[in-house]
Amino acid sequence: MSAGLGVTHSEMNNGDKLLRFLQIWIKPDRKHYKPNYGSRVFGREDRHNKLHHVATSYDNYGNTEKDEGSGIIPIHQDANIFISEIDSDFTQEYLLQRRRQLYLVCIEGSLSVNKIVHMEARDALEVEGDEKDDQPLELTATGNRGAHFIMLEMAKA
């Protein structure tokens, strides 16, 4: 959702069932955009043992202000959002480009990053890319449950 001018927004659980909710705010690249809402349904097959690209900047989307209503969700920021659900011992590789950074959240299961950092459910990690070289990352599901994670990649601040 892009709130735009004069729009307020909130999320809540209207039911009695437990709700797991991850709310992430990404500031737009400038002010005064029209309000916009993008919603997609991505099945497990879209993200199973692969990085599924769910959001990117309008520039990467085709430099159009029109959201087509399917595929990658366009946003007003130089950022990319990926989701994945990987099996135990599966390794997902990602090349973090120089001068970029990412924010990784392990939603479920456990995850090893480059065999150095170990993450459990609800852990988060920021990785800053090098100024000169791209940085390879290996994300490996550890334990017997695999791992479900979200990764936000963006220009280095």
Side-chain angles (χ1 to χ4, degrees):
M1 165 179 223
S2 179
L5 297 170
V7 176
T8 57
H9 176 75
S10 66
E11 299 284 348
M12 59 190 258
N13 183 1
N14 283 330
D16 295 330
K17 293 182 182 179
L18 177 65
L19 173 69
R20 295 181 313 150
F21 188 77
L22 196 60
Q23 189 170 34
I24 299 168
W25 292 76
I26 299 173
K27 289 184 177 182
D29 54 7
R30 65 177 176 85
K31 293 183 178 184
H32 307 295
Y33 284 114
K34 294 178 187 175
N36 188 22
Y37 183 82
S39 179
R40 308 287 192 274
V41 175
F42 300 112
R44 185 171 189 270
E45 68 279 359
D46 294 322
R47 64 181 181 266
H48 183 234
N49 288 337
K50 59 188 169 189
L51 283 175
H52 186 65
H53 200 178
V54 298
T56 193
S57 72
Y58 272 95
D59 288 341
N60 293 337
Y61 186 73
N63 206 15
T64 175
E65 289 295 313
K66 186 169 185 218
D67 179 356
E68 299 296 328
S70 63
I72 298 174
I73 300 169
I75 58 175
H76 292 291
Q77 186 52 268
D78 179 13
N80 294 285
I81 302 174
F82 301 90
I83 56 172
S84 186
E85 194 169 339
I86 58 178
D87 295 332
S88 183
D89 296 323
F90 184 87
T91 297
Q92 178 65 61
E93 296 178 350
Y94 184 78
L95 187 62
L96 180 61
Q97 308 257 321
R98 65 188 181 101
R99 298 187 189 129
R100 306 285 290 175
Q101 63 185 0
L102 65 84
Y103 184 69
L104 178 67
V105 179
C106 183
I107 300 168
E108 295 177 314
S110 54
L111 192 62
S112 167
V113 181
N114 287 358
K115 299 179 183 172
I116 298 171
V117 176
H118 183 77
M119 302 174 71
E120 295 291 333
R122 298 184 181 178
D123 284 347
L125 174 72
E126 179 183 14
V127 179
E128 290 189 6
D130 191 70
E131 288 299 313
K132 296 181 181 177
D133 299 314
D134 295 344
Q135 181 176 348
L137 297 175
E138 289 185 352
L139 310 171
T140 305
T142 57
N144 60 1
R145 291 185 36 211
H148 184 189
F149 61 90
I150 185 167
M151 186 170 70
L152 292 82
E153 180 270 347
M154 64 210 79
K156 202 170 176 182

